[in-house]
């Protein structure tokens, strides 16, 4: 059967691409919605303080978020360090 | 006590007014006393779609400000019994919709109607906010297209945080309505499928309305498409209303018609 696949496009369909792109933006919005734990702003502030003790980073260098995947919650930390 | 249902979407041009007019007409046709309100102050169009544009004397803003009473402003539909339209003001802006005023008018209407359908303007500003503010249920109208789906997700966020229901610890019951659906393009992988949209937005599907010439034709003549009883779109809205009222109806118009070639090959 594999010779038949020559005629099939290997490219993803545009609908498939649309779905994947949407899943990313929607997950992002849902993560940034107000259903964060209450300690989030404080955690963010304290992390920044610690970081700034050792390296020079901007005030918005620390981004945190929570990704939910079924029962699993992943705390996501994103720290931007300036290049030397 | 009336049930308040907002028809909303975020994005413009996806079929909110088409859906609100047919949904309200369908409820009334089934004997439920229903009013449909245009919240798009400054850009009113529901009156045109309902075919009563020449009968608008007073509007929603007039009632809010006390310049007219509800009885004067509600327009009784000439085709369907139990159906009333409250037009938006054409000359004012969205700030005319103050929250207390909207609540007072809705409360007054709630005594007399079974269903109040709020046709939301596009966007996420005051008009859209006021349309959803007091809702019990929401029809989220979505086209199978990236910008519409993203905007619908945004609107779902607002329904979950900015409504009276949400603020008092409850939740607005959300329904997905997919419009302008083209099964043949879905089959070719050119359009998001119902399953895709449902999976992304994660709310239950109430109805699917196929892309249909009948929608433009009926709006040309000022008739809600649900009254076009032989059109696919009209039948799809009939099904939607029936499901909303608790009936089981299988989905229609969601599979591509197979061409002769496809049928010969027995492909789906």
């Amino acid at each position: 059967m594999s010779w038949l696949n020559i005629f099939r496009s290997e490219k993803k369909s545009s609908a498939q691409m649309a779905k994947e792109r949407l899943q990313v933006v929607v997950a992002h919005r849902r993560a940034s919605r107000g259903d964060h734990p209450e300690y989030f702003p404080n955690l963010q502030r304290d992390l920044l303080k610690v970081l700034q003790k050792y390296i020079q980073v901007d005030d918005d260098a620390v981004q945190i978020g929570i990704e939910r995947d079924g029962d699993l919650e992943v705390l996501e930390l994103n720290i931007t360090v300036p290049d030397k | 006590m009336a049930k308040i249902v907002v028809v909303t979407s975020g994005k413009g041009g996806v079929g909110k007014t088409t859906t609100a007019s047919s949904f309200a007409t369908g409820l009334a046709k089934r004997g439920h006393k229903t009013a449909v309100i245009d919240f798009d102050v400054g850009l009113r169009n529901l009156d045109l779609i309902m075919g009563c544009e020449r009968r608008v004397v007073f509007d929603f803003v007039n009632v809010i400000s006390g310049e007219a009473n509800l009885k004067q402003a509600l327009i009784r539909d000439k085709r369907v019994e139990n159906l009333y339209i409250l037009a938006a003001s054409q000359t004012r802006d969205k700030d005319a919709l103050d929250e207390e005023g909207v609540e007072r008018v809705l409360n007054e209407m709630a005594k007399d109607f079974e269903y109040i359908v709020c046709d939301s303007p596009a966007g996420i500003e005051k008009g859209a906010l006021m349309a959803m503010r007091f809702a019990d249920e929401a029809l989220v109208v979505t086209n199978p297209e990236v910008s519409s789906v993203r905007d619908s997700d945004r609107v779902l966020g607002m329904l979950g945080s900015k409504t009276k229901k949400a603020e008092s610890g409850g939740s607005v019951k959300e329904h997905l309505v997919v419009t302008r659906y083209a099964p043949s393009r879905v089959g070719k992988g050119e359009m998001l499928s119902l399953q895709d949209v449902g999976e992304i937005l994660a709310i239950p599907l109430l109805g699917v309305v196929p892309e249909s010439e009948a929608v433009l034709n009926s709006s040309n003549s000022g008739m809600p498409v649900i009254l076009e009883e032989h059109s696919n779109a009209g039948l799809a809205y009939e099904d939607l209303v029936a499901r909303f009222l608790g009936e089981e109806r299988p989905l229609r118009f969601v599979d591509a018609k197979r061409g002769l070639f496809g049928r010969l090959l027995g492909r789906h």
Side-chain angles (χ1 to χ4, degrees), chain B residues 107-171:
Chain B
N107 280 339
E108 196 184 333
M109 290 174 76
K111 289 178 207 154
D112 202 27
F113 288 95
E114 280 179 79
Y115 291 99
I116 301 172
V117 178
C118 303
D119 182 20
S120 172
I124 51 171
E125 313 302 327
K126 183 132 189 215
L129 216 54
M130 281 306 113
M132 69 169 64
R133 183 75 182 144
F134 302 99
D136 300 300
E137 305 200 20
L139 306 193
V140 179
V141 183
T142 308
N143 290 168
E145 173 270 322
V146 286
S147 52
S148 173
V149 175
R150 183 198 226 172
D151 289 1
S152 291
D153 173 64
R154 182 86 167 78
V155 157
L156 287 171
M158 290 170 69
L159 285 166
S161 61
K162 305 227 156 109
T163 51
K164 267 271 150 100
K165 270 259 152 78
E167 283 176 7
S168 59
S171 62

Side-chain angles (χ1 to χ4, degrees), chain B:
Chain B
M1 210 43 195
K3 196 169 262 181
I4 300 176
V5 185
V6 62
V7 179
T8 184
S9 71
K11 190 177 181 299
V14 298
K16 278 184 299 299
T17 301
T18 300
T19 299
S21 61
S22 280
F23 179 61
T25 304
L27 289 169
K29 259 179 79 184
R30 286 164 163 265
H32 300 285
K33 194 169 180 191
T34 303
V36 54
I37 308 177
D38 191 349
F39 274 75
D40 204 348
V41 175
L43 290 170
R44 84 167 173 229
N45 276 320
L46 180 68
D47 54 338
L48 268 179
I49 301 297
M50 295 293 295
C52 63
E53 71 277 7
R54 294 169 65 181
R55 296 167 62 208
V56 179
V57 182
F58 295 111
D59 58 54
F60 191 25
V61 173
N62 292 139
V63 181
I64 289 173
S65 63
E67 292 153 4
N69 63 38
L70 261 178
K71 234 183 167 166
Q72 294 170 298
L74 280 169
I75 302 165
R76 200 169 65 85
D77 192 89
K78 286 188 167 163
R79 297 157 297 215
V80 181
E81 229 183 305
N82 298 315
L83 180 59
Y84 293 79
I85 299 116
L86 187 50
S89 170
Q90 187 69 303
T91 52
R92 306 283 287 272
D93 61 43
K94 307 259 188 301
D95 290 330
L97 295 173
D98 74 288
E99 184 169 337
E100 274 167 41
V102 171
E103 185 171 25
R104 198 182 60 241
V105 175
L106 288 175
N107 280 339
E108 196 184 333
M109 290 174 76
K111 289 178 207 154
D112 202 27
F113 288 95
E114 280 179 79
Y115 291 99
I116 301 172
V117 178
C118 303
D119 182 20
S120 172
I124 51 171
E125 313 302 327
K126 183 132 189 215
L129 216 54
M130 281 306 113
M132 69 169 64
R133 183 75 182 144
F134 302 99
D136 300 300
E137 305 200 20
L139 306 193
V140 179
V141 183
T142 308
N143 290 168
E145 173 270 322
V146 286
S147 52
S148 173
V149 175
R150 183 198 226 172
D151 289 1
S152 291
D153 173 64
R154 182 86 167 78
V155 157
L156 287 171
M158 290 170 69
L159 285 166
S161 61
K162 305 227 156 109
T163 51
K164 267 271 150 100
K165 270 259 152 78
E167 283 176 7
S168 59
S171 62
V172 175
K173 190 172 177 194
E174 300 152 342
H175 307 271
L176 177 62
V177 177
V178 176
T179 53
R180 308 199 69 164
Y181 196 61
S184 63
R185 301 201 70 184
V186 174
K188 284 189 245 166
E190 295 173 354
M191 182 182 268
L192 288 164
S193 70
L194 280 177
Q195 289 73 21
D196 292 341
V197 179
E199 206 178 300
I200 293 161
L201 293 177
I203 57 171
L205 179 72
L206 182 68
V208 184
V209 182
E211 175 80 63
S212 162
E213 288 176 5
V215 173
L216 178 60
N217 284 338
S218 64
S219 78
N220 287 340
S221 56
M223 184 152 108
V225 72
I226 197 170
L227 295 177
E228 293 282 1
E229 280 153 3
H230 300 295
S231 70
N232 287 356
L235 293 169
Y237 276 116
E238 277 285 350
D239 287 351
L240 179 153
V241 171
R243 284 188 209 106
F244 183 84
L245 294 171
E247 277 176 44
E248 294 257 349
R249 290 272 177 108
L251 288 175
R252 289 195 268 185
F253 319 117
V254 293
D255 294 316
K257 288 190 195 91
R258 276 190 284 160
L260 181 63
F261 193 62
R263 261 181 286 170
L264 286 174
L265 288 173
R267 288 200 324 211
H268 289 274

